[in-house]
Amino acid sequence: MKTRPRLGQNFLTDVGAATRIVSALGDLSARTVVEIGPGRGAITGPLAAHARHVLAIELDRELAAGLRDKFPADRVTVLEQDILNFDFAAAAAEIPGGGRICVAGNLPYYITSPILLKLAASHAALDHAVLMVQREVADRVVALPGSRDYGLLSVTAQMYGPVERLFTLPPSAFSPPPKVHSTVFRWRFAPRFSELSVEEAGFLRFVRAAFAQKRKTLANNLRGAGIPSAAATLDAVAIPSHARAESLSLESFAQLWRFLYSEDPAAASTTAGSQSNSRSF
Ligand code: SAM
């Protein structure tokens, strides 16, 4: 069977790693698991052995057909579909007795950002995910304030719930081997917008504006986003005027957003720019 590099096809050959991914999802006996890009079924096999049901979403027609032959339909439903068009809310509504979906996947790396954004947007239908991504992406997802990798992706992911790095695999764990190392992380969906008293869309636009230009200070980026008295605003919430967005915790971003917009959340859409949150990180 030919491999399609265009579809990010690097198949996991390390059987132990597949088992660890499934173990990291916890007790699946009552769970429906959506697997993103099941490929030749390296992770689907152990998932099918532990989960109540698996929905395997595979774009490649030949691979989808192979999976249907390999796994019984009462344990694994194979859908030949683009994961970016998959409706997680509708799938969760089908779970007998209700409940939220678990997600697993060795992601096709060419669409990592859109997939992570899609999961964030589908958070209400999701419980937790265990995902394999390029190591550098995982570094950014789990990064803490003040570290080199902390940025828009870290704040966005962590606003939707706690993230945890699990383990890293070398290229030799895949066939064909990718050019990069891969890291598995867990993401528990528990959004923090209400707790931090910020409005989701406006807050994420604001954070995007705060990180707009890496070399600029936060005050300069905020001025660029149309917030004129940026330095005075930072002073009012005890953030140093020379601070960079990279040094701010989620709580500090929220404090700043509340200071600027809690009286008028709609203003966040005009002042911090009207870019959509659906762009990649
Ligand atoms: N899970 C398998 C494994 O670990 O060996 C395959 C992982 S491979 C990195 C990514 C898989 O995602 C491939 O099977 C590829 O065909 C599939 N894929 C690529 N784009 C997709 C999309 N938009 N929607 C669903 N599956 C996709």
Side-chain angles (χ1 to χ4, degrees):
M1 192 185 291
K2 62 176 181 284
T3 303
R4 296 185 172 82
R6 198 176 48 80
L7 289 184
Q9 292 180 353
N10 299 98
F11 301 106
L12 184 62
T13 51
D14 180 334
V15 176
T19 311
R20 286 173 80 187
I21 289 172
V22 176
S23 305
L25 283 162
D27 179 6
L28 295 176
S29 52
R31 293 286 192 183
T32 294
V33 182
V34 169
E35 188 189 359
I36 301 173
R40 295 177 181 160
I43 303 168
T44 324
L47 275 179
H50 291 93
R52 197 190 61 79
H53 197 73
V54 180
L55 290 172
I57 317 301
E58 175 56 61
L59 185 61
D60 185 308
R61 170 162 302 175
E62 239 181 285
L63 291 175
L67 291 162
R68 282 196 196 96
D69 289 344
K70 201 165 183 173
F71 297 106
D74 60 336
R75 301 217 54 82
V76 179
T77 303
V78 180
L79 299 174
E80 186 194 318
Q81 195 184 328
D82 184 339
I83 190 62
L84 298 178
N85 296 329
F86 182 71
D87 187 340
F88 284 95
E94 297 277 306
I95 298 176
R100 294 194 294 167
I101 286 172
C102 296
V103 182
N106 169 14
L107 300 190
Y109 293 173
Y110 75 104
I111 46 168
T112 300
S113 289
I115 291 175
L116 297 181
L117 284 169
K118 165 115 190 160
L119 294 176
S122 309
H123 65 82
L126 307 180
D127 194 84
H128 60 284
V130 173
L131 305 171
M132 175 133 52
V133 296
Q134 185 176 332
R135 179 170 59 185
E136 290 72 16
V137 174
D139 288 345
R140 288 163 57 210
V141 168
V142 305
L144 295 174
S147 73
R148 194 182 47 131
D149 293 313
Y150 185 72
L152 179 62
L153 175 55
S154 330
V155 175
T156 307
Q158 293 169 31
M159 280 303 288
Y160 285 94
V163 289
E164 195 183 342
R165 183 202 309 273
L166 298 178
F167 60 93
T168 294
L169 293 173
S172 58
F174 305 86
S175 173
K179 290 194 175 69
V180 294
H181 279 63
S182 300
T183 295
V184 177
F185 73 96
R186 184 164 42 219
W187 192 6
R188 297 192 183 280
F189 295 96
R192 299 194 62 194
F193 300 99
S194 306
E195 170 213 335
L196 294 174
S197 304
V198 295
E199 187 270 318
E200 182 174 342
F203 179 74
L204 293 179
R205 269 194 299 271
F206 173 67
V207 173
R208 184 180 289 283
F211 280 108
Q213 294 204 39
K214 258 252 187 258
R215 285 190 308 278
K216 285 193 175 178
T217 62
L218 176 59
N220 273 336
N221 274 332
L222 294 184
R223 259 193 297 278
I227 298 165
S229 50
T233 303
L234 295 182
D235 196 43
V237 293
I239 294 173
S241 58
H242 58 272
R244 290 177 189 275
E246 288 80 356
S247 67
L248 261 64
S249 64
L250 268 52
E251 289 76 9
S252 298
F253 272 118
Q255 191 190 11
L256 195 50
W257 188 89
R258 289 194 304 270
F259 181 83
L260 285 165
Y261 303 116
S262 61
E263 301 289 307
D264 181 14
S269 63
T270 46
T271 337
S274 54
Q275 297 156 332
S276 133
N277 291 316
S278 62
R279 288 183 6 186
S280 72
F281 296 105

